[in-house]
């Protein structure tokens, strides 16, 4: 059973298989139980995109490996310039690679399990002196007019920051560059880096919100143009807005929690002030997103009304066509009946029988013609009164 700080911790993944090393013992001298699965995989360093040691707001060295970073932090002779901080960035590590990092930096098994499984909701959890943060950055793709979401996990310790990216985008290089160009901010330690990560992620939501707003404007135009594909686009955009809401809204609770815990954990006042500014930006994004959801709901209702009106007009047009066709059928049927009456009379008198009444009558022919005309006129008069003609 895995342990953490001499306590047994149940975990189905068995994330850490040995007691972490004491703070004064280098990683090479510990007696970790070797991981026997995935032995052919490369070491954690293969997934490190950037790793450095900072002291007093300045970079003092580039750590080539996880063990080297640990030594740089805890070696007594390396604290001449004040407390040091390791900042390690990893991208898409395998479970084994993340387990090795967890062993060296004494990360809690439950937090490591979440980092291995990924697909977590945004959250902030504290394990003794280490914060575990899950963030869901978002980027807007202009080519496809879609929102793409990423996932970043961060372990914020007393003297280290470990970020784990599970997606290719966004890269965190701008955050590191900003801090390296601002020694005063970097000197405030790991919690300042946490602020930088939150600020970077939240700033990335602004272009996404602008893109969604532009999409909504385009959808309004499509609705009034009766575009048949607009319903599908409204649905897809609604899903993106809901996903953005799930990524942004938990940040309000996370930031309030950091602010509430500031006195207990000695967070710098300037960092708390900066986090309040980030929370204001989050609130703005949440409010805009709520407006997006309301607008899409109204557009969907409007589209349903317009579709119903279009269908009613089409049904009315079809009914008119059917009525016109029925009138034509009545007219044709009436004339057919009128023309059929003389045919019946002519057929009766055209039969070649020797003994037939009125066959040799002198007025038989005029009478037959008169009968044909009279019957036809009577039928025409009847159909005319019924508006069939």
């Amino acid at each position: 059973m895995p342990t953490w700080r001499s306590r047994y911790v149940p975990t189905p993944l068995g994330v850490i298989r040995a007691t972490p090393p004491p703070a004064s013992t280098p990683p090479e001298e510990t007696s970790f139980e070797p991981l026997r699965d995935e032995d052919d995989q490369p070491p954690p360093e293969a997934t490190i995109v950037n790793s450095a040691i900072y002291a007093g707001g300045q970079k003092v060295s580039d750590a080539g490996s996880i063990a080297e970073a640990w030594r740089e932090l805890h070696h007594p002779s390396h604290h001449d310039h004040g407390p040091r901080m390791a900042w390690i960035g990893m991208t898409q590590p395998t479970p084994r690679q993340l387990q090795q990092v967890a062993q060296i930096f004494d990360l809690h098994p439950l937090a490591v399990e979440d980092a291995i499984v990924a697909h977590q909701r945004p959250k902030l959890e504290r394990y003794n002196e280490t914060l575990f943060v899950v963030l869901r950055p978002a980027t807007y793709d202009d080519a496809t007019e879609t929102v793409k979401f990423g996932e970043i996990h961060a372990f914020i310790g007393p003297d280290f920051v470990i970020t784990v990216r599970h997606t290719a985008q966004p890269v965190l290089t701008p955050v590191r560059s900003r801090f390296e160009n601002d020694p005063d901010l970097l000197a405030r330690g790991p919690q300042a880096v946490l602020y930088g990560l939150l600020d970077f992620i939240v700033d990335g939501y602004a272009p996404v919100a602008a893109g969604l707003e532009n999409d909504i404007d385009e959808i309004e135009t499509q609705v009034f143009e009766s575009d048949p594909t607009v319903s599908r686009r409204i649905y897809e955009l609604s899903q993106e807005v809901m996903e953005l809401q799930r990524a942004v809204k938990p940040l309000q609770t996370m930031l309030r929690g950091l602010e509430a815990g500031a006195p207990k954990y000695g967070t710098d006042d300037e960092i708390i002030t900066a986090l309040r500014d980030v929370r204001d930006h989050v609130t703005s994004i949440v409010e805009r997103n709520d407006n997006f959801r309301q607008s899409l709901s109204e557009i969907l209702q409007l589209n349903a009304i317009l579709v119903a009106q279009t269908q009613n007009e089409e049904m009315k047009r079809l009914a008119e066509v059917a009525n016109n066709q029925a009138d034509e059928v009545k007219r044709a049927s009436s004339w057919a009946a009128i023309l059929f009456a003389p045919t019946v009379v002519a057929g009766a008198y055209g039969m070649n029988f020797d003994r037939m009444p009125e066959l040799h009558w002198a007025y038989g022919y005029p009478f037959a013609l008169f009968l044909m005309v009279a019957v036809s006129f009577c039928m025409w008069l009847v159909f005319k009164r019924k508006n069939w003609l």
Side-chain angles (χ1 to χ4, degrees), residues 129-236:
E129 295 180 346
T130 302
L131 285 173
F132 175 63
V133 183
V134 179
L135 301 173
R136 294 294 308 278
T139 55
Y140 185 80
D141 190 343
D142 290 321
T144 60
E145 295 185 335
T146 57
V147 181
K148 297 182 179 179
F149 294 90
E151 186 169 350
I152 295 175
H153 297 177
F155 297 90
I156 312 296
D159 55 1
F160 65 85
V161 175
I162 301 174
T163 59
V164 180
R165 284 193 294 119
H166 288 279
T167 51
Q169 295 295 333
V171 296
L172 301 178
T173 303
V175 181
R176 192 181 293 267
S177 299
R178 172 191 176 185
F179 275 77
E180 291 180 350
N181 293 328
D182 190 350
D184 292 337
L185 183 60
L186 185 58
R188 299 181 188 274
Q191 293 197 7
V193 177
L194 174 59
Y195 150 71
L197 289 172
L198 289 167
D199 188 49
F200 175 73
I201 298 300
V202 172
D203 285 347
Y205 292 139
V208 174
L212 291 174
E213 188 172 15
N214 182 66
D215 288 344
I216 291 175
D217 292 339
E218 292 179 356
I219 283 177
E220 289 178 346
T221 302
Q222 287 182 282
V223 167
F224 286 104
E225 291 178 350
S226 300
D227 190 331
T229 64
V230 70
S231 297
R232 180 182 181 88
R233 190 176 183 190
I234 293 174
Y235 173 78
E236 292 175 348

